[in-house]
Amino acid sequence: MPVDRERVEQFLFREAQLMDEHRFDEWLALWSEPALYWVPSNRDDLDPAREVSLIYDDWVRLQLRIARLKSGFAHAQEPRSRMRRLISNIEIEDVGDWEIVTHSNFLLAELRRGKQDLFAGRTTHRLRPENGSFKLISKKVLLVNNDEPIDNLTFLI
Amino acid sequence: MLSRNGLDYESLVKEDRVHISVYTNPAIFTDEMDKIFHRGWVYVGHRGEIPNPGDFRLKRIGRQPVIMVRDQQGEVHLLLNRCRHRGATVCQREQGNTRSFRCMYHGWTYLLNGDLGGVPSMDGYGEGFKREDLGLVKVPRVGEHRGFIFASLSPAGIALDAHLGRAKEEIDLFAGMSNADEVEVVSGVHKYSYQGNWKLAAENSMDGYHPSIVHASFAQALMDKITHVPTPEQQRVDRNFAAFRGNAKDLGNGHVMLDYRMRIYDPLNGDPAPEVRAVTPEGEARLNNLDRRFGADRAANMLREGGTHTFIFPNLILIGVQMRVLQPLSVDRTEVCLYPTLLKWLAPEVNAIRLRSHEAFFGSASFGGPDDSEIFERVQDGCAVELEPWQLMSRGLHRERHEDGMIVGDLSDETTQRGIWRQWKKIMMQGEVAARSMRKRGAGAVAIKRG
Ligand code: FES
Ligand SMILES: [Fe+2]
């Protein structure tokens, strides 16, 4: 299948907006089993069976993460982060009919409790074409600062 | 009685309350660095962080930067990270492997044991130059228990063994009775900081009163998991934090623990919990030992999710599978490092589930820890209210009991906080002379650079 770059961009931009605006259910609806939402800790390449990650959510933990964020008891998001992020440098790897891999950079401004932080990184998305758009199968986020103290990463990245 | 800098610790710390200035006064912070962190025993790191000859890690004892390094013979050295020439740090990387430490100002080079090796253009120095006197300064006292390395910058004082006392047994359980080299501490670090005093994290780590409130969302996640994974194993997970039973214990010397027998940590993922099995004969023996002492279920949980819940005064916390180290940066800023551990003798899938259990509750993006940090910042903000400057620590005072030479309270009682404060006060009120001499040598500014 020829990859339609505009559709891929639309998907990534939409995902970014849903994360920025805490539209949790809509974000979760982008996903499909088997899911892996992965943010490595300390370095980009690691063996998750031997090294710790910041986020290593399978399908179940992903559902629970969203339920927690919606619960009203996730104090680290009370007050909530205000966020806007830019998605750029999008590269598309055409893997086959059933899956597309994309790499993109992001720059996120996050404001909470009077403190504004910048997060930057590179994300790999695995997407499955479905009904003219895509489903998200896995997402791996390589944070520039994954070896530095990160005070609060309880929003969607 | 006023201490020399006019701080009246006797009236700031009462049996049932503490004054907020202990969290906000920069002069008290400076005094703490001198008396607690620069004179007493502090936890530095674990042998398992530097498994190979030449491995090093940068650490800090109070404010002072220290290199923890393993030499070719396997001996661990703690060297102050400061060139003996004109004082540049000789090691810049947080961790790595090296054959020597070279100062990149004028090129003096130090061996792994700290001895001064090469000095460029030696002809510039006369006969009085004694190379053997100019090695990196070694931390005066270093002690070890099961690979846990503690240090004191004071040449004299209580022995480590006496300082640790009953806490040693909890270290043993944390390590699953493994020997020092069977504990692996190479799984990365979770690091975060918060805008608040370091003692807020110490108190909270041993607070059995807060989980049902602060961690309501985690309790809910445990409950919700069963709708996704309705297995009998999952049915057994304890869910009602408020109904938890157990004891808060004061082990002495400021070491305190929460003693409970329920499962809390859970990977919150879809896979069934792996059977706990050993892959070495030694591991088999350790597993049998724990089975006999605690029963198979509890032993398995201890190995999958953690074997103790203990604070070792002043900066080490053992919870779940992690060693947690408190690094005070200034009176209202603290950095925290979490080191998840693996056990060499456990099957790989069990070690993996240790990491997943850890990640679910701990770390900057987890379901638990960030909510605690948020509360620390709220408490620090609350310290601005001076009209009523006390924090109550009286919970359970009326029902405390003495058992086996320990003060024991209900799981949700502030027995643990009182134990920490008792030691804090004892140390802060003593040792004026030594603290003064430390200050004369220049203890520096109040805040230190992170990292
Ligand atoms: S300061 Fe280190 S060699 Fe001069
Ligand atoms: Fe907590």
Side-chain angles (χ1 to χ4, degrees):
Chain A
M1 183 190 84
V3 178
D4 185 340
R5 185 177 178 88
E6 206 180 311
R7 280 205 188 140
V8 170
E9 283 184 357
Q10 269 175 10
F11 181 88
L12 297 180
F13 294 162
R14 175 165 167 77
E15 195 223 345
Q17 185 176 8
L18 296 178
M19 291 190 289
D20 285 347
E21 296 176 0
H22 307 287
R23 289 157 68 178
F24 300 122
D25 288 329
E26 288 166 85
W27 182 77
L28 192 57
L30 300 179
W31 285 83
S32 168
E33 267 184 284
L36 177 62
Y37 176 31
W38 185 10
V39 184
S41 184
N42 303 104
R43 59 203 188 92
D44 295 347
D45 276 311
L46 53 80
D47 173 3
R50 306 258 320 146
E51 289 170 80
V52 74
S53 295
L54 286 157
I55 296 175
Y56 195 81
D57 288 358
D58 68 357
W59 179 249
V60 169
R61 207 199 271 179
L62 190 63
Q63 317 284 316
L64 297 175
R65 180 177 297 277
I66 296 306
R68 169 181 134 79
L69 286 169
K70 289 166 60 185
S71 71
F73 295 105
H75 313 294
Q77 276 297 306
E78 179 54 52
R80 274 185 181 171
S81 299
R82 268 181 69 77
M83 297 186 284
R84 283 298 167 195
R85 75 194 82 193
L86 309 177
I87 309 291
S88 181
N89 303 50
I90 300 169
E91 285 175 34
I92 300 171
E93 241 180 271
D94 190 355
V95 175
D97 287 352
W98 51 278
E99 194 180 89
I100 294 169
V101 177
T102 72
H103 309 280
S104 58
N105 290 357
F106 70 91
L107 183 64
L108 163 66
E110 183 254 350
L111 174 75
R112 198 177 165 270
R113 277 183 157 269
K115 187 159 126 314
Q116 185 162 316
D117 283 325
L118 277 184
F119 290 87
R122 186 158 179 82
T123 309
T124 298
H125 288 82
R126 300 186 95 86
L127 305 173
R128 182 195 298 152
E130 198 178 290
N131 301 333
S133 182
F134 302 98
K135 282 289 186 188
L136 191 44
I137 306 301
S138 85
K139 178 174 176 178
K140 183 177 180 185
V141 184
L142 310 180
L143 287 172
V144 166
N145 61 336
N146 61 18
D147 195 33
E148 291 292 316
I150 297 176
D151 299 351
N152 187 330
L153 196 69
T154 54
F155 43 83
L156 297 174
I157 189 84
Chain B
M1 187 187 74
L2 289 182
S3 78
R4 80 194 176 285
N5 48 12
L7 298 167
D8 180 0
Y9 293 117
E10 182 63 55
S11 68
L12 293 179
V13 178
K14 303 283 186 198
E15 188 187 27
D16 63 341
R17 64 192 59 207
V18 298
H19 190 274
I20 53 171
S21 62
V22 299
Y23 305 105
T24 59
N25 185 340
I28 292 180
F29 180 78
T30 304
D31 216 18
E32 284 176 332
M33 288 299 103
D34 288 349
K35 291 175 177 168
I36 296 175
F37 283 84
H38 294 162
R39 294 186 48 221
W41 286 107
V42 296
Y43 175 70
V44 179
H46 193 275
R47 198 171 258 280
E49 294 175 63
I50 45 172
N52 305 306
D55 282 356
F56 67 85
R57 288 254 189 181
L58 276 186
K59 298 287 183 178
R60 215 178 265 280
I61 299 178
R63 292 185 177 114
Q64 308 194 26
V66 173
I67 308 166
M68 178 173 86
V69 58
R70 186 187 283 244
D71 70 16
Q72 298 300 337
Q73 285 70 46
E75 200 184 327
V76 174
H77 302 274
L78 297 182
L79 310 169
L80 292 170
N81 186 14
R82 179 170 186 269
C83 179
R84 293 296 301 282
H85 177 222
R86 296 231 306 269
T89 52
V90 300
C91 178
Q92 319 308 324
R93 278 163 56 206
E94 204 173 319
Q95 60 171 303
N97 183 282
T98 188
R99 298 169 66 152
S100 60
F101 297 103
R102 182 155 201 231
C103 176
M104 285 305 180
Y105 195 173
H106 310 93
W108 288 26
T109 301
Y110 301 89
L111 310 181
L112 295 181
N113 64 5
D115 288 354
L116 178 59
V119 173
S121 312
M122 269 297 288
D123 56 322
Y125 290 102
E127 271 181 12
F129 186 88
K130 292 261 183 313
R131 195 193 293 244
E132 54 276 22
D133 292 343
L134 291 170
L136 294 174
V137 173
K138 291 192 174 197
V139 171
R141 287 194 301 156
V142 181
E144 198 175 321
H145 180 77
R146 251 182 231 274
F148 288 71
I149 296 167
F150 296 82
S152 165
L153 291 175
S154 163
I158 181 175
L160 177 63
D161 207 55
H163 165 71
L164 290 179
R166 286 175 186 270
K168 277 183 295 184
E169 200 178 317
E170 299 308 319
I171 293 177
D172 299 345
L173 287 180
F174 174 84
M177 309 310 288
S178 314
N179 68 34
D181 285 320
E182 288 171 323
V183 181
E184 293 197 271
V185 198
V186 290
S187 295
V189 195
H190 275 155
K191 302 180 235 184
Y192 55 87
S193 55
Y194 62 88
Q195 196 63 38
N197 189 268
W198 65 279
K199 298 185 292 300
L200 295 173
E203 294 171 331
N204 170 267
S205 69
M206 297 297 130
D207 181 303
Y209 194 22
H210 81 287
S212 60
I213 306 298
V214 173
H215 302 304
S217 72
F218 183 78
Q220 186 62 44
L222 286 176
M223 207 118 65
D224 286 352
K225 183 176 162 183
I226 200 148
T227 62
H228 301 281
V229 192
T231 61
E233 197 275 332
Q234 175 60 17
Q235 307 267 12
R236 286 205 303 272
V237 175
D238 291 297
R239 290 179 181 78
N240 184 0
F241 279 14
F244 277 176
R245 291 285 164 262
N247 292 321
K249 289 184 176 171
D250 179 353
L251 305 176
N253 292 349
H255 317 315
V256 296
M257 73 175 293
L258 297 180
D259 192 0
Y260 51 79
R261 292 279 182 273
M262 60 274 190
R263 283 194 62 190
I264 295 180
Y265 306 117
D266 188 288
L268 295 182
N269 61 14
D271 297 331
E275 187 202 335
V276 172
R277 59 187 183 91
V279 292
T280 69
E282 301 80 42
E284 200 71 54
R286 307 199 195 298
L287 188 53
N288 287 337
N289 174 355
L290 290 170
D291 279 355
R292 269 198 309 277
R293 279 176 69 185
F294 298 100
D297 266 7
R298 164 116 175 103
N301 290 341
M302 290 170 84
L303 292 164
R304 272 194 299 248
E305 291 140 25
T308 188
H309 194 118
T310 300
F311 173 71
I312 297 177
F313 192 92
N315 67 332
L316 174 64
I317 296 161
L318 304 176
I319 295 182
V321 303
Q322 84 200 264
M323 305 164 177
R324 186 185 310 178
V325 183
L326 303 180
Q327 173 63 60
L329 298 178
S330 69
V331 72
D332 61 358
R333 186 135 204 107
T334 306
E335 186 172 305
V336 186
C337 289
L338 318 180
Y339 299 83
T341 58
L342 309 182
L343 300 179
K344 272 198 186 124
W345 54 267
L346 278 176
E349 68 275 12
V350 183
N351 275 325
I353 215 69
R354 283 169 75 93
L355 295 173
R356 298 294 88 81
S357 301
H358 170 87
E359 279 156 3
F361 196 93
F362 302 103
S364 319
S366 69
F367 292 39
D371 293 339
D372 287 314
S373 291
E374 169 66 17
I375 300 299
F376 305 159
E377 299 197 345
R378 293 182 191 179
V379 174
Q380 194 75 25
D381 283 354
C383 286
V385 175
E386 292 175 352
L387 217 53
E388 170 37 57
W390 295 98
Q391 297 209 11
L392 286 188
M393 304 269 169
S394 59
R395 187 175 167 83
L397 254 180
H398 65 290
R399 58 183 176 188
E400 261 177 9
R401 52 199 192 272
H402 288 257
E403 271 174 25
D404 197 15
M406 276 180 293
I407 305 173
V408 179
D410 186 86
L411 187 63
S412 74
D413 289 348
E414 281 152 353
T415 305
T416 36
Q417 287 74 23
R418 287 190 290 274
I420 296 171
W421 281 109
R422 207 173 294 120
Q423 178 76 358
W424 187 90
K425 184 173 173 179
K426 183 178 146 196
I427 295 178
M428 296 304 283
M429 290 182 69
Q430 77 190 9
E432 296 297 315
V433 179
R436 206 155 32 232
S437 75
M438 181 69 83
R439 177 161 296 113
K440 249 194 219 120
R441 275 184 272 131
V446 169
I448 57 172
K449 227 182 106 207
R450 144 208 292 196

